[in-house]
Structure formats: C-alpha cells, structure tokens
Amino acid sequence: MTADLFVNALVAGMLLGGFYAAVTVGISIAFGILDIVNIAHPGFVILGSYIAYMMNARFGIDPIVAGILALPVFYLLGAAIYQIYYHSFEKRGPEALRGLAFFFGLLFITEVTLILAFGVDYRYVQAAYIDRTVNLRLVHLPLRMLVPCLFSLLMLALLQLYLTRTFTGRAIMAVAQDQLALRLMAADPVRIKRIAFGISIATAAMAGAFLIIIQPVEPSVGREYIGRVFAICVLGGLGSLPGTLIGAMLLGVVESFTATFYGPSWAPAVSFGLLLATLAFRPAGLLGR
Amino acid sequence: MRWWTFLLACSAVAAAVFFAACWLANDYYFFAGYTVLQFVVLATAWNILGGYCGYVNFGSAAFFAVGAYTTVFFHKALPLPIPALVLLAGIASGLIGLGTGYLTLRLRGAFFSIATLALAVVLQTLVVNWNYVGGSRGAYVVRPNEVALIGSYVQYLFLIMLALAVGALAVARAIERSRLGFGFATIRDDELAAEASGVPTLKLKLIATTLSGALMGMAGAPFPYYIGYLEPASAFGLPYAVNAIAMPMIGGTTSWVGPLIGALLLGTLQQVATVTISSAVNLLLVGLLLVGFVIVAPKGIVGLVQPYWGRKRKRAEPP
C-alpha cells in the first residue's frame, strides 16, 4: 500500500462522503425526525438527476443551477405526497405495513416512468468543470467530485442553521418528540410535518443534480442508494445532521478503500454489510439520541 | 375443513388445472401458467410474514435468487432431481431468513424492511463475484427435453410449481388457524402488548421469517431449469420483490385467499400485458395498482367482498 494511493483513496472517499450526505439528508429528516420510512427517496433523487439532465441538454443550464430551480417544485411535490400519506395512513393510526408498501410503490412507479420516458441509456450532463482536476502535489481533486461535495456541505450547513435557529426549524425537531407540546406552542404538527417532508424531498433535487455531475445516470441507479442512505442514516444516528455527515464520510471512505484495494465490484456490499452490522450491534447509531 | 381435506381439495383443483392445460395442448399455457403459479407461491410466502405478522419484506427477490442459485450450484457440483433441489433451496433460503431475522427483528419493524433491501444487494454482490455459479456473466442450465411418464419438460416444471403452490397454500391456511397464527396476529396488532402478555414474539417472528424465506427459495429452485440461463440481474430483479408485495396487498393480507386472488389476477394480467403491450408498461401497472389499493382499499379485494361473503356464510353455518 503506497502512501499516495492511500491518501488519494482517503480524499476520494471523503469527497464521495460529502455527496452521500446530500443524498441522505432527506432521509434523515423524513425517517429520523418525522418517522416516515420514505424508501422512495432515491427515486426522487434520480428524478432530480433527470430534471438537471433535461435542463442541461435543452437550455444549457448548469446542473447545480438546475437543481436550485427545481427546489420549489420538489418542495411542493413533497408537501403533496405528505398530504396523501397523512390522510391515507397516519390519520388512520399506526400502520407501518401499508405506508411502506406505498413508498415502495412510489419508488417503483418513478423508476418505471423514467424508463418509459427516457429508456435505459445512461445520461450525463455537460459543464465546464466536469473533466477538470486540481492537483495539489500528492492529491488529485477531480472537480466533478469536489463541486458537489462543497455544495452538499453548504446545503447541510444551511439546513442545520434552519433547524436549530428558526421557529419552524425547531418545531420540526420537536414534532418527533412531543406533538402535544407543539400544539401548545401554537404550531400545527401536520403543517410542520408537511413543511419538513417538503424540505426533505426538495433536498433530493439538489442531490440528483450532484449525482449526475458525478456519474452518468440511468433509472435504476437509485436502487443502489437505498441501502447506502439507510446505512448512513442508521450509522449516524437517526435525525441528526452532523451524525449524517459523519456517517456519510465514513461510508464514503470505507467504500473508496474497498474499491481501491479489492476492486469496485465489492463496493456495493460494503454499505449493506455496514448497515447490517450497525443494526445488529449499535442500532442507536454513532451519535444516537 | 380440516387441513388434509383442504389439501385434498386443493390437489383436486390442481389436477383439474393440469389436465385442462394438457387438453389445450399448447406449451405456451404451461410457460405462462408456471410464472403465475410461481407468483402464487411467492405471494403466499410473503404473506406469512407480511400479512400475518405485519413485517414487510422487500427482499423477496433475494430469497428467490438464493433458491435459484442453489439449483445452479448443485447443477454443477452434483446433479440432483428437481424435488431434491427444491428441498435444498428451501433449507438454504430458510437459513438466510433466520439469519436476517436474528440480526434485525429485535428492532423496530422498519429496520427489518430496510435490512431485507440491503440483503438483496449484499447477496447480489456475492453472486456477481462468485465465479463458480457464473458470476456477472450468468450460468447456462441445460435441461433435458423429455421427462419419463409426464411428457415435455415444461409440463414437468409446471407440475412441480403446481405442487409447490398447493403446498404453500396448505401451509398458510394451517398457520392461520393454529396457535402459531394467533401468535402472529398478536404481533401484527400490538407487539408490545403481545410481549407483555407472554407471547414469545422473537421466536414467532423467527419462525415466520424462516418459513417465508424457505417457501420463496423453493419457488426459485426450478427457475434456472425454466429459463435455461440465469444471470444475477434477472434472478434478483425488482419485479419479484414488487409483485410479492403487490399481490397480497391487492388481494388482501389477512387470509390465504388474498395472495391467491392477487397472484392469479395480477399474474395473469401481467402475462397478457407482456404479450400485448410491453413488459415495462405492465410493471408500471403493478406499481400503480399497489399504490392505489393501499390508499383506497387497504384490505384488498378480500376486504371489498368480505361484507357480503361474511353475511352469507354466517347464515349457512352457525358458529
């Protein structure tokens, strides 16, 4: 194991981890805080990728700008889905079974619709920075990894500020713990959850834009991310954004080392192995509540 | 009806189906029927854990593929007749079910579901990297043309799957009316209360995962012979996972009838849609039906017709 291989694998892993954090943060909010097991999230991420692709291919808009433009649409989509979820499942009482099947169906519908609309070819975007690399003596920083990573960190920081500094943000954090207390503070739990779920889906628009900058995308790519995002989410401790970031970095580094030293075909099993191990030995996660 | 009467009745229906198919004398019906019956087994197996216990398994494809790859393995290592392979596949995937359950069932329900998703990808990665069973290239399984006493090989496979379907339905129905089934129902309704009243929930859940996994593996065992060429992407395909969930959900999850109705309806619908429209559209159809039923008719088709059915039955045989 040579030093520069090691350092580069480490750096590549951390860049990858930064991006994973963006994919996971939506699940962290939905699953960790709202207790909604939204396994369709990766499907929405892929949808975000395709929107970035369309805007890029048709109007030449930078994928990240496209992601930002798609934010309000995704927010509304999320709010609408929550409304359906609330009326069909949450209001009727605790019935995890049907809620899970609902999101599984959504995931499937998104994927098949994208296949019908775009086919199964890989799609990619064009931007000036995608095939450039910054070389710092030993370390190579490909911009297609660095740019998504930096924007992802920015998004996480903004979300953390929102969740800890504003009234609505704090209400979102509180909704998981005590809905009655929230009512006494004159905040409607259903409205707060709708906002939170909207935000959680909105992050998928950005994550999708990052994804298509990093790699070409086809409709079924999302499935690989289901295990990853839940591994990260559980690893980091549910509902904690700093935990999400740490979990994502950890997974990114472990995957990058596996890919470098054992071959990329083993990389997918890493996250799942990690998930199973975490569930078996430390279900509360690293920074669990 | 006692369980053996039920088994006999099912076998009689199965024999009638088989001879009807023979009478039509068209191998296509055996091909299509095999797929539908395979879904009957998968849906029934899923329902033992999902419907009776309330634990959602997203990894049906993984258990199915374990069964299929057990066959591929033994096809190369030690050729055995299919019924023996079915048994071995059942043991292999039953053990995998037990292991997954043991790792995750002590946690909240959602974690089990996520872990089953994870399981599918772990196993797929293992198979892709395992050259003996073909790796990512896949493996050819050459099947003989004829089987003594029965006729063409497709008919033989069809017969095996028919027997499996009857077996799965009998098991599901027997569970429903036994102590075990009531134990499962307490878990589904309120696990905490069940635990508090002394129901050994973990043990029951492990029994359910093992049984359900084993049945799924058994459904997968004849698959390589059916398709002739098995590759990881097709064995672990999402359609199995989706159908295994959608069929019981659409049919109704509380009794053995639901998965049967769901599988027969949806399975036939998909066969027709694959031939007449396209396979992508029929998958979309399944997804839409699943979401639609879950929202509008949470108790499935059985739940929709039960009010009328129940009234009639009450009059016929007083309790």
Side-chain angles (χ1 to χ4, degrees), chain A residues 10-140:
Chain A
L10 184 69
V11 171
M14 292 184 73
L15 293 178
L16 193 63
F19 158 66
Y20 283 170
V23 184
T24 314
V25 69
I27 299 260
S28 266
I29 294 173
F31 183 41
I33 300 178
L34 306 179
D35 226 5
I36 300 172
V37 191
N38 176 15
I39 48 170
H41 194 77
F44 293 116
V45 171
I46 304 298
L47 190 66
S49 288
Y50 272 87
I51 286 174
Y53 159 75
M54 278 200 302
M55 286 197 188
N56 184 266
R58 197 157 303 168
F59 309 111
I61 299 173
D62 183 273
I64 288 182
V65 178
I68 294 170
L69 287 177
L71 281 176
V73 181
F74 271 61
Y75 175 82
L76 291 177
L77 180 70
I81 290 174
Y82 179 74
Q83 207 61 21
I84 296 174
Y85 178 82
Y86 172 72
H87 282 290
S88 318
F89 308 105
E90 243 176 30
K91 214 163 74 176
R92 287 183 194 165
E95 176 113 64
L97 183 78
R98 280 163 227 297
L100 275 170
F102 170 69
F103 281 113
F104 192 63
L106 279 189
L107 172 71
F108 198 62
I109 291 173
T110 323
E111 188 179 318
V112 178
T113 311
L114 284 175
I115 289 177
L116 286 173
F118 294 94
V120 289
D121 303 330
Y122 278 94
R123 308 283 170 171
Y124 51 90
V125 286
Q126 268 148 5
Y129 48 81
I130 281 181
D131 29 78
R132 300 252 293 275
T133 301
V134 178
N135 290 319
L136 303 168
R137 292 167 65 93
L138 209 67
V139 187
H140 307 288

Side-chain angles (χ1 to χ4, degrees), chain A residues 190-267:
Chain A
V190 178
R191 190 179 139 264
I192 296 295
K193 282 184 161 184
R194 190 167 57 230
I195 293 172
F197 198 73
I199 293 173
S200 124
I201 297 295
T203 63
M206 291 309 292
F210 299 154
L211 175 65
I212 203 165
I213 293 175
I214 290 176
Q215 64 169 76
V217 170
E218 56 108 10
S220 67
V221 168
R223 260 182 263 158
E224 294 170 21
Y225 283 89
I226 300 175
R228 269 189 200 132
V229 291
F230 280 101
I232 292 167
C233 193
V234 172
L235 195 63
L238 294 171
S240 143
L241 293 199
T244 302
L245 185 60
I246 294 173
M249 289 281 178
L250 206 63
L251 181 68
V253 170
V254 174
E255 266 191 15
S256 161
F257 275 110
T258 316
T260 311
F261 298 109
Y262 295 97
S265 64
W266 284 104

Side-chain angles (χ1 to χ4, degrees), chain B residues 212-237:
Chain B
S212 157
L215 280 174
M216 285 176 185
M218 287 171 147
F223 187 64
Y225 285 101
Y226 171 76
I227 199 160
Y229 166 69
L230 189 71
E231 46 133 6
S234 77
F236 286 93

Side-chain angles (χ1 to χ4, degrees), chain A residues 154-175:
Chain A
L154 180 68
M155 181 168 84
L156 247 69
L158 288 176
L159 273 175
Q160 179 69 4
L161 280 179
Y162 176 73
L163 287 179
T164 50
R165 294 279 189 279
T166 65
F167 180 80
T168 319
R170 286 181 183 171
I172 290 173
M173 297 295 276
V175 84

Side-chain angles (χ1 to χ4, degrees), chain B residues 1-15 162-174 256:
Chain B
M1 230 192 285
R2 298 296 295 269
W3 69 269
W4 51 267
T5 343
F6 178 75
L7 196 63
L8 279 181
C10 269
S11 308
V13 173
L162 201 58
L164 274 176
V166 170
L169 286 174
V171 167
R173 188 174 176 277
W256 60 274

Side-chain angles (χ1 to χ4, degrees), chain B:
Chain B
M1 230 192 285
R2 298 296 295 269
W3 69 269
W4 51 267
T5 343
F6 178 75
L7 196 63
L8 279 181
C10 269
S11 308
V13 173
V17 167
F18 181 70
F19 287 115
C22 282
W23 180 67
L24 284 166
N26 182 342
D27 266 359
Y28 170 73
Y29 291 108
F30 286 106
F31 270 107
Y34 175 90
T35 313
V36 175
L37 286 172
Q38 177 181 291
F39 280 131
V40 171
V41 181
L42 274 176
T44 307
W46 185 90
N47 202 42
I48 289 177
L49 184 63
Y52 299 169
C53 292
Y55 275 77
V56 182
N57 178 0
F58 288 123
S60 312
F63 293 100
F64 179 80
V66 166
Y69 269 98
T70 311
T71 299
V72 172
F73 179 80
F74 280 103
H75 181 73
K76 289 196 144 180
L78 169 78
L80 288 168
I82 295 185
L85 287 172
V86 167
L87 213 61
L88 284 169
I91 293 171
S93 45
L95 284 177
I96 294 217
L98 183 66
T100 319
Y102 192 74
L103 280 179
T104 52
L105 278 176
R106 276 166 293 182
L107 303 166
R108 270 196 303 161
F111 286 113
F112 172 75
S113 308
I114 298 162
T116 54
L117 269 175
L119 180 76
V121 175
V122 172
L123 289 176
Q124 188 171 357
T125 311
L126 286 179
V127 167
V128 162
N129 285 293
W130 189 13
N131 275 324
Y132 188 74
V133 293
S136 56
R137 279 172 292 114
Y140 285 95
V141 176
V142 184
R143 66 177 190 219
N145 268 330
E146 299 269 320
V147 175
L149 297 177
I150 295 161
S152 81
Y153 206 77
V154 181
Q155 291 186 14
Y156 176 52
L157 289 175
F158 180 82
L159 209 58
I160 287 175
M161 201 40 90
L162 201 58
L164 274 176
V166 170
L169 286 174
V171 167
R173 188 174 176 277
I175 287 177
E176 220 171 275
R177 283 141 198 255
S178 69
R179 237 178 114 77
L180 196 63
F182 294 132
F184 287 170
T186 61
I187 294 174
R188 177 186 63 208
D189 294 340
D190 192 334
E191 194 168 336
L192 208 60
E195 183 98 45
S197 352
V199 177
T201 52
L202 181 64
K203 196 175 117 202
L204 288 181
K205 283 188 287 183
L206 286 178
I207 292 174
T209 22
T210 313
L211 213 57
S212 157
L215 280 174
M216 285 176 185
M218 287 171 147
F223 187 64
Y225 285 101
Y226 171 76
I227 199 160
Y229 166 69
L230 189 71
E231 46 133 6
S234 77
F236 286 93
L238 200 56
Y240 294 113
V242 175
N243 275 312
I245 295 173
M247 288 165 174
M249 285 284 181
I250 290 169
T253 53
T254 45
S255 79
W256 60 274
V257 191
L260 178 66
I261 293 177
L264 289 180
L265 267 181
L266 222 57
T268 316
L269 184 71
Q270 282 181 75
Q271 285 301 319
V272 174
T274 308
V275 175
T276 52
I277 315 171
S278 83
S279 56
V281 172
N282 89 50
L283 290 179
L284 183 63
L285 210 62
V286 175
L288 288 173
L289 276 175
L290 172 61
V291 170
F293 261 91
V294 163
I295 293 175
V296 180
K299 285 186 179 150
I301 294 173
V302 170
L304 289 179
V305 295
Q306 212 162 26
Y308 314 99
W309 178 265
R311 227 181 298 149
K312 224 183 282 170
R313 204 166 55 172
K314 236 175 228 164
R315 241 179 284 148
E317 44 172 282

